[in-house]
Amino acid sequence: MPRSPVAEFTIDRVQVLDQEGRVDESLEPDIDDEQLLEWYRTMKHARRLDRRVIALQRRGELGTYAPSTGQEAAQVGSTAALSDDDWTVPAFREHPSALARGLSAQGIFEYAMGLEEGGEPPDDVPIMPPSIAVGTQPLHAAGIGWAEAMNESDRVALTYFGDGATSEGEVYEAMNLAGVYEAQTIFFCQNNQYAISTPLSKQTRAATLAQKAVAAGIEPIQVDGNDILAVYLVTREAIERARRGVPTLVEATTYRREMHTTADDPSVYRTVEEEEEWEPLDPILRFEGYLRDRGILDDGTVAEVEREIEDVLETNLEAARETAANADPADMFETAYGDPPEYLERQRDAFLDDSGREVAPADGSRRGDGGSTATGSGTTEGVERLNMVEAIRETLGAELDRDEDVLVYGQDVGVDGGVFRATQGLLDTFPGRVHDAPVAEAGIVGLGVGLSVAGYRPVAEIQFAGFSFQAFSQIHQHVSRIRSRSRGKLTCPMVIRAPYGLGVKALEHHSESYEAGYAHVPGLKVVIPSTAGDAAGLLRSAIRNPDPVLFLEPMPLYRAARRPVPEDHTVPLGEARVVEEGTDVTVVTWGAMVREVEGAVDASEVSADVIDLRSISPMDAETVLESVRKTGRCVVVHEAPRTGGFGAEIAARISDEAVWHLEAPIERVAGYDVPVPLFGREEAYRPDEARIRAAIERVASQ
């Protein structure tokens, strides 16, 4: 059969003003004179702000700053098209947009002073804080746009990023997911010709950046980004499409007139001749020409506008200096968590006492067993008996039924019910609340940030924990930090579920146990159940928690023996479970290793306290320390590699707070410091009962 085309596309470009500011009246939007003059004031305000901040930075008063000079029309024109309740999701150069939304330069000064106060969004403006990691924030806008579509509102989310960001996979994931979910989102690319020092010609072979939308199935358009009227027109049309569930990628061609940041020297990679070629296309000069032709602007008005701007900037700068002078360093403890761990409170107290302690003291005042014991407590008559995967499924269903803001999505969680069938049947019971997602781990997690700030409680599934590292940037840079970055104004109460660990004879990357890496991320909670009851209780608490939770599910335990699981069962995060009580040695473990430890203790004559941490972060140090003070000995067991594993943190906590109670060195039984082998050698790698028993008996004999 002959070849035949299956798809063709063209990219339209829009321009309303020519180089001298003359207007194409057939395209001229109907804007009243006062609004046009306000746009001009905002553009001039942003330009003068850049000059002021650069001068202050050169004098050492401020930190690194990213000027927006040359890009004022792209930002002010696009922001002007938004309604008051629409969202903007900026990168780190969107000062003109912020000013156009009514924010003051005070916050911009404060942010450049290194103060989180500068990133705090106002109560009455739906705007995200600055996002420094390149190309990560469009996923949040896709999540917000999806949330607004599900809410059947007219609100849209507009996100800004540069030409360099279009090389990031997460930008494509955002556009693709927005198309899939018909998100009410506009992707606004400011093509300023450079990704720091890399020119556009070395970033892509595509004729336009707009055409990258074609592969995602969303609308592409290119606009002269130095023409504020054209930008406004194109953005207004994109907003109307977004409200119909059709996202748009707008490529605004512009030019960065200044350095990438104040740490950069553009003379190294740009020529004077190139800069002079762009000079006549300066967005403020072109707009001035248009306003003068309309009789809106004259020399006197220009002078008046400049005087007003100087007065406002001086007032804003003095207010920012006052904020800096009164900044309380202890404020860093206030917004990391909605439900802060107890040890963080103690760290704060130690900081305020100026005691110089770097590790939180633990008082050992309670046994954090969450009401659980080895034999269980209370009646189990009439209580449903479930295995772990059934407990997870029923808990998800119960929480979906209880709270309409709960949303379940991820790879194959819908029709297929998840790889391990943990979501089986939920799609039929909760249509519109359970969604299959493309294979895009960063996208899945990044969407959750946007869904969360828009009011949802997303429960996202990553098929295997080993693939969560493809979303690590979102987890580390945004999920865990959005509360702190916005000073508590925006939160991310999402749960990321993932099958975890060894024991199912899976392929490479399907058996990773790197919980310690995630425990190192402040603002994130990490939970690993070992029983069906704990899976239900911890998952329910995680979904209801105000903070993000990484919920790791040990695969070998999914279909272990059914046990009673009380209805509406909850287990507090951060409380360990005392599995067995003994006198000779403390054994600390979690996840699938709990079963191995129980077997090892049963086979030994040593009397052991067996502690299931359940929560890796926050860790219940008090229960561990109380036990070690009693037994004088400790063995820690985990699947992950020994070096840098979480067992080292447990040993360090014991060394800090109970070292004088130890009668023998702490011993760790762990995976070896090699990549997790394929399942042909997995059993040799994985700690088994024999290794664990030998360690317990060695420590107990000393």
Side-chain angles (χ1 to χ4, degrees):
M1 297 295 290
R3 295 186 183 185
S4 58
V6 295
E8 296 179 351
F9 66 91
T10 59
I11 305 296
D12 290 339
R13 177 177 171 82
V14 177
Q15 182 178 337
V16 176
L17 296 175
D18 68 9
Q19 184 169 311
E20 283 73 35
R22 294 186 294 264
V23 66
D24 182 337
E25 294 181 357
S26 67
L27 295 175
E28 184 179 16
D30 183 17
I31 308 295
D32 65 64
D33 291 355
E34 184 52 43
Q35 185 63 63
L36 291 170
L37 189 57
E38 184 59 32
W39 292 0
Y40 175 75
R41 288 192 189 97
T42 304
M43 292 169 70
K44 292 279 283 188
H45 193 170
R47 180 74 60 93
R48 182 56 190 149
L49 171 65
D50 275 1
R51 301 312 308 155
R52 193 69 180 272
V53 174
I54 291 170
L56 290 167
Q57 194 275 339
R58 294 294 188 247
R59 296 206 302 262
E61 288 193 45
L62 304 179
T64 304
Y65 176 78
S68 60
T69 296
Q71 299 176 216
E72 297 91 350
Q75 293 186 33
V76 176
S78 54
T79 302
L82 297 171
S83 299
D84 289 344
D85 58 355
D86 289 330
W87 282 85
T88 48
V89 183
F92 49 82
R93 199 189 303 279
E94 279 64 50
H95 318 308
S97 174
L99 295 174
R101 293 226 69 174
L103 280 67
S104 80
Q106 178 182 341
I108 298 169
F109 283 125
E110 289 170 349
Y111 196 75
M113 291 173 176
L115 299 172
E116 283 82 1
E117 285 85 341
E120 181 178 346
D123 292 332
D124 57 346
V125 181
I127 184 172
M128 295 282 276
S131 177
I132 304 301
V134 172
T136 56
Q137 75 282 358
L139 280 165
H140 311 158
I144 294 171
W146 183 23
E148 299 301 348
M150 288 189 289
N151 294 339
E152 298 183 349
S153 81
D154 286 334
R155 302 174 73 185
V156 303
L158 185 149
T159 182
Y160 292 103
F161 51 95
D163 47 292
T166 64
S167 298
E168 292 279 1
E170 290 176 46
V171 172
Y172 173 74
E173 289 184 31
M175 294 190 295
N176 189 59
L177 287 164
V180 167
Y181 294 127
E182 299 181 341
Q184 294 173 193
T185 306
I186 299 100
F187 300 93
F188 196 95
C189 173
Q190 299 171 86
N191 177 4
N192 65 18
Q193 312 304 312
Y194 282 91
I196 306 183
S197 65
T198 305
L200 189 64
S201 62
K202 292 185 179 180
Q203 297 181 54
T204 181
R205 286 289 178 262
T208 68
L209 297 179
Q211 70 198 63
K212 297 193 176 192
V214 176
I218 68 176
E219 287 291 311
I221 189 74
Q222 187 184 81
V223 64
D224 182 345
N226 287 356
D227 175 354
I228 192 170
L229 298 183
V231 170
Y232 172 81
L233 182 67
V234 162
T235 307
R236 189 177 62 185
E237 293 172 352
I239 290 170
E240 291 305 313
R241 280 193 295 273
R243 288 174 177 153
R244 301 195 305 271
V246 181
T248 299
L249 169 60
V250 177
E251 178 194 2
T253 57
T254 182
Y255 191 71
R256 196 189 76 218
R257 298 288 304 278
E258 286 285 355
M259 65 287 288
H260 168 71
T261 71
T262 47
D264 168 47
D265 179 6
S267 68
V268 173
Y269 53 84
R270 287 199 318 213
T271 66
V272 173
E273 290 76 17
E274 177 186 298
E275 294 177 346
E276 289 176 347
E277 287 177 8
W278 280 91
E279 178 70 31
L281 297 174
D282 182 279
I284 295 179
L285 293 177
R286 288 170 72 184
F287 195 41
E288 276 188 2
Y290 168 74
L291 295 178
R292 288 179 184 273
D293 286 347
R294 284 191 53 159
I296 300 172
L297 197 65
D298 56 27
D299 291 345
T301 306
V302 170
E304 181 183 353
V305 166
E306 291 177 347
R307 282 195 301 272
E308 291 174 353
I309 289 170
E310 289 300 325
D311 290 343
V312 169
L313 286 177
E314 187 61 33
T315 299
N316 292 159
L317 177 58
E318 287 307 310
R321 284 170 171 158
E322 184 175 351
T323 300
N326 295 305
D328 182 359
D331 184 76
M332 63 183 169
F333 293 98
E334 300 303 320
T335 56
Y337 295 89
D339 179 23
E342 291 185 11
Y343 65 76
L344 190 64
E345 296 292 336
R346 292 193 296 275
Q347 287 182 3
R348 181 180 183 276
D349 292 344
F351 176 84
L352 292 174
D353 290 342
D354 196 28
S355 65
R357 297 189 69 108
E358 294 184 358
V359 179
D363 58 21
S365 62
R366 65 181 176 85
R367 294 291 297 244
D369 59 10
S372 300
T373 67
T375 58
S377 59
T379 179
T380 60
E381 184 178 349
V383 175
E384 192 171 11
R385 300 176 71 88
L386 305 171
N387 62 29
M388 183 178 286
V389 77
E390 291 167 341
I392 290 168
R393 184 189 308 135
E394 291 212 358
T395 303
L396 289 172
E399 290 303 292
L400 283 162
D401 187 57
R402 184 189 70 87
D403 185 351
E404 63 182 12
D405 291 332
V406 174
L407 188 74
V408 172
Y409 69 107
Q411 297 163 18
D412 301 309
V413 301
V415 175
D416 200 39
V419 173
F420 294 93
R421 306 297 180 261
T423 56
Q424 191 172 44
L426 295 181
L427 177 63
D428 295 332
T429 308
F430 301 98
R433 307 270 302 287
V434 179
H435 300 267
D436 284 311
V439 182
E441 288 81 8
I444 290 169
V445 174
L447 278 180
V449 178
L451 290 166
S452 295
V453 301
Y456 282 90
R457 286 184 172 268
V459 181
E461 179 176 318
I462 303 296
Q463 280 195 346
F464 292 90
F467 300 117
S468 67
F469 294 104
Q470 291 170 258
F472 187 78
S473 64
Q474 286 291 330
I475 295 170
H476 175 257
Q477 294 165 348
H478 298 292
V479 170
S480 65
R481 292 177 181 234
I482 192 65
R483 177 184 291 275
S484 177
R485 182 181 297 145
S486 66
R487 291 173 56 79
K489 290 290 183 66
L490 302 173
T491 62
C492 189
M494 77 176 295
V495 176
I496 304 167
R497 293 181 44 248
Y500 149 93
L502 301 162
V504 294
K505 293 181 168 54
L507 300 172
E508 190 178 10
H509 308 305
H510 289 64
S511 305
E512 316 306 281
S513 302
Y514 293 133
E515 62 273 14
Y518 288 109
H520 196 62
V521 178
L524 178 71
K525 296 177 178 177
V526 183
V527 173
I528 307 173
S530 67
T531 68
D534 281 354
L538 290 166
L539 181 57
R540 185 171 279 107
S541 295
I543 292 171
R544 299 177 184 181
N545 202 270
D547 298 309
V549 179
L550 179 63
F551 195 85
L552 299 173
E553 301 164 4
M555 292 180 283
L557 303 183
Y558 268 147
R559 287 177 172 80
R562 289 181 170 86
R563 293 288 184 263
V565 179
E567 187 176 353
D568 202 31
H569 180 49
T570 61
V571 174
L573 305 188
E575 289 194 7
R577 177 172 70 102
V578 180
V579 180
E580 295 186 21
E581 295 197 46
T583 58
D584 299 334
V585 63
T586 298
V587 186
V588 184
T589 189
W590 53 90
M593 288 291 101
V594 173
R595 187 169 61 178
E596 301 293 333
V597 168
E598 287 183 285
V601 170
D602 288 345
S604 172
E605 295 182 358
V606 175
S607 175
D609 257 6
V610 177
I611 298 173
D612 173 7
L613 276 188
R614 301 195 291 198
S615 289
I616 300 300
S617 178
M619 169 186 148
D620 181 358
E622 287 82 356
T623 294
V624 174
L625 293 170
E626 182 181 347
S627 175
V628 170
R629 291 184 181 112
K630 178 182 72 173
T631 67
R633 297 172 175 84
C634 184
V635 175
V636 184
V637 182
H638 59 71
E639 297 180 4
R642 175 185 173 88
T643 299
F646 198 70
E649 175 63 24
I650 295 170
R653 296 283 186 99
I654 294 170
S655 176
D656 288 338
E657 302 298 328
V659 67
W660 301 115
H661 293 268
L662 289 175
E663 299 179 21
I666 299 168
E667 185 156 343
R668 289 175 284 164
V669 184
Y672 300 108
D673 292 326
V674 299
V676 178
L678 297 181
F679 57 81
R681 294 183 174 86
E682 183 180 283
E683 288 305 312
Y685 172 89
R686 184 173 189 260
D688 59 12
E689 288 186 15
R691 284 177 60 194
I692 298 167
R693 176 184 174 183
I696 291 172
E697 292 178 347
R698 271 196 307 274
V699 170
S701 67
Q702 298 180 57

